[in-house]
Amino acid sequence: MLTLSNLSPTPGSRKNRKRIGRGQGTGQGGQAGKGHKGAKARSGQTIKIGFEGGQMPLQRRLPKRGFTNGRFRQEVAIVNIRDLDRFNDGETVDRASLLAVGLIKKADCTVKILGEGDIAKKLTVAVDKVSAGARQKIEAAGGSVQE
């Protein structure tokens, strides 16, 4: 009968860890896979990322150009006209409806409609930004744009 007192893992499913530096007979004796002496053979050894042995490192040899404006970057969710075809005729397309159908992933980013593709449905588009080409196509299909 199987009880908690006689449970054991399936034979071969558990492997013993490799014990290095425990004699020549193990195949991992001698220098224990660390080569000969030096800082890399000692415990607590660390080398800074990019250290090239005192040579001027690559990240300092290369010129620095430009800058990143990451702190003040505005995230813009792009939606093309062809993607609006999934909405019904006469429907209002806004941030909430785009989020509901999965065309945008975040509710707090700026939404911009671009004019790639065609649209045949009369939609009311109420988002943050609309390109000139997209506005023209929406209004040509009988829809309207509210920014």
Side-chain angles (χ1 to χ4, degrees), residues 20-89:
I20 61 169
R22 292 297 181 269
Q24 297 294 352
T26 63
Q28 284 291 330
Q31 279 83 28
K34 289 184 173 272
H36 292 286
K37 297 185 183 174
K40 291 184 185 175
R42 319 269 187 232
S43 68
Q45 173 274 335
T46 54
I47 294 178
K48 275 196 266 186
I49 293 172
F51 182 69
E52 297 182 17
Q55 173 176 296
M56 186 62 68
L58 182 66
Q59 76 268 20
R60 290 187 60 199
R61 288 196 304 260
L62 297 176
K64 306 295 182 273
R65 302 221 27 199
F67 77 107
T68 56
N69 203 11
R71 272 180 63 193
F72 304 103
R73 181 181 65 223
Q74 287 186 337
E75 286 192 36
V76 179
I78 305 261
V79 180
N80 277 302
I81 287 282
R82 65 167 177 252
D83 301 325
L84 300 181
D85 218 26
R86 66 181 74 191
F87 292 99
N88 296 326
D89 211 15

Side-chain angles (χ1 to χ4, degrees), residues 88-104:
N88 296 326
D89 211 15
E91 223 174 318
T92 300
V93 177
D94 57 0
R95 184 189 312 273
S97 62
L98 290 170
L99 199 60
V101 297
L103 285 175
I104 61 173

